[in-house]
């Protein structure tokens, strides 16, 4: 059962976001609607500018926590055109308080830097992080897409795969074939389908939407690490997650799928007051930590 706060938050998002971007065709206006720091960062977390693989971003670490912490790469959402590591501090800060050392890159955005620039940046960050320590990956929406695309690219490049991935409402099919894209058009509190379809050409800039790095639903998932997938029942992206879960399971990948009632897209950003956001992030943190703890420790060289 959804909380009262989830219902209130659904209404607030519907009035504040969907009404603003629903019929908007100007990418700049959509970007401004997304780029709003609405929620506070968790207390007790240090956010430090950094760089991995030549890509700028920031580290999130709980103050006073031990030096040895599991590593997490978090890829922010924003429709491939907007948002930043700073805006996603509610989420990266929550993971930091759960004991992770989190890096969130400011990967290149479209339309200035279209596909595959963002994928290349995320893969470069992953190469640098995976060379240091075993790590996990997570992301929401466009960031969930990029998390999957990073794994596709890592396998192509012969890099280690993450120990596990946590995906929040990932956009997995930029061709737009998921039924919920139409059936949830009115129920989704944040997006109308036409708003999202305007973002795809800006991101792809003529590239094939069926490229597995653009639409990870096209990828071969055999050998992928365990996936945790959280999505809202009312989202137009709901079936992107359901189809991903089905295909990954068919390929033998362990999948933990939860469909949350009522909550709007990217509800994890509201972790400061929304019980469903806290539950989603806490479950993801436990899932990722357990996967990392199961990674064999390399034997010391004599």
């Amino acid at each position: 059962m959804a909380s009262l706060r989830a219902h209130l938050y659904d209404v607030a998002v519907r009035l504040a976001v969907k009404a603003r971007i629903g019929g908007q065709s100007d990418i700049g206006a959509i970007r401004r609607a997304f780029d709003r720091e609405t929620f506070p960062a968790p207390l007790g977390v240090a956010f430090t500018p950094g760089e991995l693989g030549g890509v700028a971003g920031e580290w999130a670490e709980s103050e006073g926590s031990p030096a040895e912490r599991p590593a997490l790469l978090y890829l922010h959402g924003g429709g491939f055109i907007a948002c930043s590591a700073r805006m996603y501090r509610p989420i990266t800060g929550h993971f930091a308080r759960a004991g992770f050392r989190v890096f969130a890159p400011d990967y290149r955005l479209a339309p200035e830097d279209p596909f595959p620039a963002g994928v290349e940046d995320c893969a470069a960050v992953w190469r640098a992080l995976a060379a240091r320590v075993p790590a996990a990956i997570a992301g929401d929406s466009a960031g969930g897409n990029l998390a999957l695309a990073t794994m596709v690219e890592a396998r192509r490049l012969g890099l280690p795969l993450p120990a596990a991935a946590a995906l929040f409402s990932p956009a997995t099919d930029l061709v737009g074939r998921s039924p919920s894209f139409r059936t949830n058009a009115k129920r989704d509190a944040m997006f109308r389908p036409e708003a999202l379809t305007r973002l795809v050409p800006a991101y792809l800039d003529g590239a094939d939407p069926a490229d597995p790095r653009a639409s990870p639903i096209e990828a071969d998932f055999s050998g992928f690490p365990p996936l945790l997938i959280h999505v809202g029942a009312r989202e137009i992206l709901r079936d992107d997650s359901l189809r991903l879960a089905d295909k990954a399971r068919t390929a033998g990948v362990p999948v933990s799928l939860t469909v949350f009632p009522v909550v709007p897209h990217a509800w994890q950003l509201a972790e400061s007051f929304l019980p469903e956001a806290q539950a989603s992030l806490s479950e993801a943190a436990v899932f990722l930590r357990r996967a990392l703890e199961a990674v064999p420790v390399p034997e010391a060289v004599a």
Side-chain angles (χ1 to χ4, degrees), residues 188-256:
D188 192 299
M190 186 174 292
F191 296 121
R192 292 187 176 94
E194 58 269 24
L196 289 189
T197 55
R198 293 188 189 100
L199 300 181
V200 172
Y203 174 54
L204 293 179
D205 192 33
D208 182 3
D211 185 320
R213 298 173 301 163
S215 292
I217 196 68
E218 297 293 331
D220 173 11
F221 295 119
S222 57
F224 265 35
L227 305 179
L228 175 141
I229 306 169
H230 288 174
V231 69
R234 298 179 178 181
E235 294 189 64
I236 62 176
L237 290 177
R238 180 197 63 202
D239 292 350
D240 275 31
S241 287
L242 301 188
R243 292 170 60 210
L244 169 65
D246 286 345
K247 186 170 181 180
R249 284 169 174 155
T250 299
V253 177
V255 176
S256 174

Side-chain angles (χ1 to χ4, degrees), residues 298-302:
E299 294 183 8
V301 178

